[in-house]
Amino acid sequence: MSESPFPRDPEAPDPAPDPAPAEPPRPPAYTPGSVQPRLNRPLHERYPQIRPTSGYGDPRIRHTGPGPGAGAEQEPERSAKLTARLALALSVVVGQLWGLTIVVNEWMSGDTGTAWWGAGFLVLSFLVVLGLWLLDPKDR
């Protein structure tokens, strides 16, 4: 059970070095962070596949950036239709808020007949927005 579940790194220093080394150990060439010198090598030694020209000078890369047509409107008719529908729905919402203000004022002043007509207006404007929503189901 004394064996570690992780394999030992072959390049790591021995946990119990020889008590009397023949010559004093030399410090590793790179000592910025890790105890293991192999991890402190410069980037070009750790990753030899990364060359200074990787990326912009790589012949496998032909085109950079987004593809053709990026940023341009792909369906201007659909965009115009959605914008018009949004403008109509926002005007209906503003009308509903105005109507709700009128209905609440009439109800609080005791004129319930006018308040019920206003409530009917609010229901009708909600049905208009619902009809706009049901108009084109493929846009959802």
Side-chain angles (χ1 to χ4, degrees):
M1 191 71 180
S2 65
E3 189 174 320
S4 173
F6 301 103
R8 189 168 114 43
D9 188 0
E11 294 184 26
D14 287 335
D18 200 12
E23 62 181 48
R26 293 185 313 186
Y30 310 104
T31 57
S34 178
V35 176
Q36 300 178 18
R38 68 183 185 83
L39 298 177
N40 295 325
R41 294 176 297 169
L43 189 67
H44 63 85
E45 287 182 17
R46 283 184 285 164
Y47 303 104
Q49 69 272 19
I50 298 177
R51 294 180 299 283
T53 59
S54 289
Y56 69 90
D58 196 339
R60 295 172 293 180
I61 298 174
R62 294 192 183 114
H63 303 289
T64 61
E73 183 59 52
Q74 302 295 325
E75 295 180 56
E77 295 85 13
R78 181 173 182 264
S79 177
K81 183 171 55 172
L82 291 176
T83 303
R85 194 179 308 165
L86 180 65
L88 189 58
L90 287 176
S91 65
V92 169
V93 167
V94 168
Q96 285 178 326
L97 291 173
W98 170 77
L100 185 61
T101 304
I102 300 297
V103 166
V104 169
N105 284 339
E106 292 298 319
W107 185 270
M108 296 304 256
S109 67
D111 190 6
T112 57
T114 307
W116 281 112
W117 279 107
F121 167 77
L122 292 176
V123 169
L124 181 66
S125 63
F126 173 76
L127 292 175
V128 167
V129 172
L130 186 64
L132 288 173
W133 183 70
L134 291 173
L135 195 62
D136 200 0
K138 71 179 174 77
D139 276 341
R140 283 183 249 131

